């Protein structure tokens, strides 16, 4: 049987088949990432449903392709690439939409993976439903499981999307009738039956691009760590020196106005140290991080400090302070400090 689009070259297949399906995978991943911000994660079901739909779209789009582009090997590597893009888009979208102020998506993903943040999940099995939260190794495991089921259902969907009878006999596909088997040298229908590795090449390119993208984003989030101990940084942080007061809602720091006052002083080229006006109440450190400040808050009677991030307004008269409180999950507390007039 002669399949249309004969003579399609590998770069044409990548441009007309591979890239559009990956773009669709990324778009669906963004939508799923947004939805997971307001509803539980459904491991397995999510991957199977999306993988089946995108696989069907891939099969339908390439239904008239030459035989070598419709082999099981092609569909397998195509499905892995699509699953990687879908999963990356989902997780990055979740990181962007759910990260705390002054926190990047890679940092958020790292906290979930490390067990500091929990994600609600819902599942069904053994005639009963399950619900709870996932974090750490369980979260990573179910994320990989979901991606694996995506690939499996992608293969099923890709076959379903190709009209019946359009799947050719290839070396790694369905067997051809005996009278239609060739030895690879004969080209009786004008279409070569050789294998192609174009989908594998596309998968390698996708993995390299995703790896480079995650590395670049992570480096961007940590860019501030490379500007410390610089005289230029000292010029940035010096205007914040002075007396400040934590305004309500002050969160974990309460008391009278005087009990919530602190003095910010230079702690070096890249850091500020705040000491409460009333001795022993609290202390706070801020280190410049390229766009915002990171540090710790020590409270009287508490052995472990709280992690904080801060950003001043443009006039350097108000500070937005975010506290990260860990226990059974993570809780974000926002505080505001105003400069005390001299």
């Amino acid at each position: 049987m002669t399949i249309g689009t004969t003579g399609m070259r590998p770069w044409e297949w990548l441009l007309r088949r591979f890239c559009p399906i990956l773009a669709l995978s990324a778009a669906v991943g963004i939508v799923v990432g947004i939805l997971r911000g307001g509803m539980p994660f459904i491991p397995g079901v999510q991957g199977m449903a999306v993988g089946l739909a995108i696989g069907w779209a891939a099969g339908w789009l390439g239904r008239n392709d030459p035989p070598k582009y419709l082999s099981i090997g092609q569909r397998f590597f195509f499905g892995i690439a699509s699953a990687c893009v879908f999963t990356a888009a989902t997780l990055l979208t979740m990181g962007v939409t759910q990260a705390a102020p002054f926190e990047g998506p890679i940092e958020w993903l790292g906290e979930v993976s490390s067990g500091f943040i929990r994600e609600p999940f819902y599942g069904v099995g053994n005639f009963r439903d399950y619900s709870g939260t996932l974090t750490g190794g369980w979260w990573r495991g179910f994320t990989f499981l979901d991606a694996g089921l995506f690939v499996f259902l992608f293969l099923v969907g890709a076959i379903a999307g190709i009209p019946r009878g359009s799947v050719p006999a290839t070396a790694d596909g369905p067997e051809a009738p005996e009278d239609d088997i060739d030895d690879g040298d004969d080209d009786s229908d004008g279409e070569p039956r050789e294998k192609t590795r174009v989908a594998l090449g596309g998968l390698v390119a996708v993995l390299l691009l995703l790896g480079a993208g995650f590395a670049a984003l992570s480096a961007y989030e940590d860019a501030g760590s490379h500007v410390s101990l610089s005289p230029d940084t000292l010029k940035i942080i010096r205007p914040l020196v002075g007396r400040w007061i934590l305004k309500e809602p002050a969160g974990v720091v309460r008391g009278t106005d005087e009990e919530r006052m602190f003095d910010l002083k230079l702690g070096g080229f890249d850091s500020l140290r705040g000491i409460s006006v009333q001795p022993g109440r609290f202390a706070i450190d801020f280190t410049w991080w390229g766009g915002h400040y990171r540090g710790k808050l020590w409270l009287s009677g508490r052995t472990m400090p709280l992690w904080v991030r801060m950003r001043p307004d443009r006039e350097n008269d108000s500070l937005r302070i975010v506290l990260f409180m860990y226990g059974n999950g993570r809780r974000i507390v926002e505080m505001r400090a105003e400069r005390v007039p001299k």
Side-chain angles (χ1 to χ4, degrees):
M1 184 179 83
T2 301
I3 307 289
T5 63
T6 58
M8 176 183 283
R9 288 168 289 186
W11 69 265
E12 292 178 312
W13 184 86
L14 288 171
L15 185 64
R16 296 163 58 183
R17 303 291 187 261
F18 195 73
C19 291
I21 293 300
L22 294 192
L24 176 62
S25 301
V28 175
I30 292 173
V31 173
V32 171
I34 294 174
L35 293 177
R36 276 175 64 173
M39 59 185 294
F41 175 33
I42 308 178
V45 175
Q46 168 191 284
M48 289 190 293
V50 177
L52 182 65
I54 294 180
W56 184 92
W60 182 87
L61 185 64
R63 63 193 182 280
N64 295 321
D65 287 354
K68 63 180 180 179
Y69 296 119
L70 298 176
S71 67
I72 185 65
Q74 276 282 108
R75 295 193 294 268
F76 178 68
F77 292 122
F78 198 174
I80 295 177
S82 182
C84 290
V85 171
F86 167 75
T87 303
T90 300
L91 297 182
L92 284 177
T93 301
M94 293 176 63
V96 170
T97 57
Q98 300 188 48
F102 320 142
E103 182 181 40
I106 300 297
E107 293 179 274
W108 184 88
L109 291 173
E111 294 199 65
V112 180
S113 181
S114 299
F116 293 112
I117 302 176
R118 300 175 182 271
E119 182 184 10
F121 82 95
Y122 179 82
V124 178
N126 296 330
F127 307 104
R128 57 164 292 187
D129 59 336
Y130 297 88
S131 62
T133 57
L134 291 174
T135 187
W138 285 104
W139 184 83
R140 295 193 302 268
F142 277 106
T143 297
F144 283 116
L145 172 65
D146 198 71
L149 291 174
F150 179 109
V151 176
F152 178 74
L153 268 294
F154 182 98
L155 297 174
V156 175
I159 296 174
I162 301 175
R164 189 177 183 85
S166 295
V167 181
T170 62
D172 55 355
E175 291 187 4
E178 288 188 11
D179 59 351
D180 195 36
I181 295 178
D182 60 45
D183 57 5
D185 296 323
D186 181 38
D187 188 15
S188 59
D189 60 0
E191 191 65 43
R193 298 290 178 95
E194 75 274 11
K195 295 181 181 180
T196 179
R197 303 295 184 186
V198 61
L200 175 58
L203 170 61
V204 172
V206 166
L207 293 177
L208 291 175
L209 288 173
L210 287 177
F214 273 93
L217 183 56
S218 179
Y220 175 78
E221 291 181 2
D222 290 337
S225 61
H226 304 299
V227 299
S228 60
L229 302 179
S230 167
D232 293 331
T233 305
L234 184 60
K235 295 178 182 178
I236 295 173
I237 69 175
R238 190 187 294 275
L240 297 182
V241 171
R243 178 159 293 185
W244 299 80
I245 181 173
L246 292 170
K247 306 294 290 187
E248 294 294 348
V252 294
V253 181
R254 296 184 175 87
T256 63
D257 287 351
E258 187 175 358
E259 289 173 330
R260 287 182 282 109
M261 285 185 184
F262 63 98
D263 292 321
L264 271 183
K265 299 179 181 180
L266 291 176
F269 280 111
D270 63 341
S271 63
L272 294 162
R273 182 164 181 81
I275 302 294
S276 59
V277 173
Q278 285 197 358
R281 287 279 299 170
F282 62 90
I284 188 167
D285 283 337
F286 293 125
T287 300
W288 171 249
W289 207 264
H292 66 274
Y293 296 78
R294 300 184 185 184
K296 300 176 182 179
L297 171 65
W298 284 267
L299 295 172
S300 176
R302 186 183 180 102
T303 57
M304 297 294 293
L306 300 176
W307 295 96
V308 298
R309 299 191 182 185
M310 181 271 287
R311 179 176 293 168
D313 63 7
R314 291 185 177 182
E315 292 75 27
N316 290 322
D317 289 328
S318 178
L319 308 178
R320 183 185 181 188
I321 304 173
V322 179
L323 284 73
F324 296 78
M325 304 184 69
Y326 297 99
N328 186 19
R330 184 181 72 164
R331 184 166 64 96
I332 302 299
V333 176
E334 291 204 35
M335 302 162 58
R336 183 172 56 90
E338 292 184 356
R339 189 183 294 275
V340 177
K342 294 182 180 179

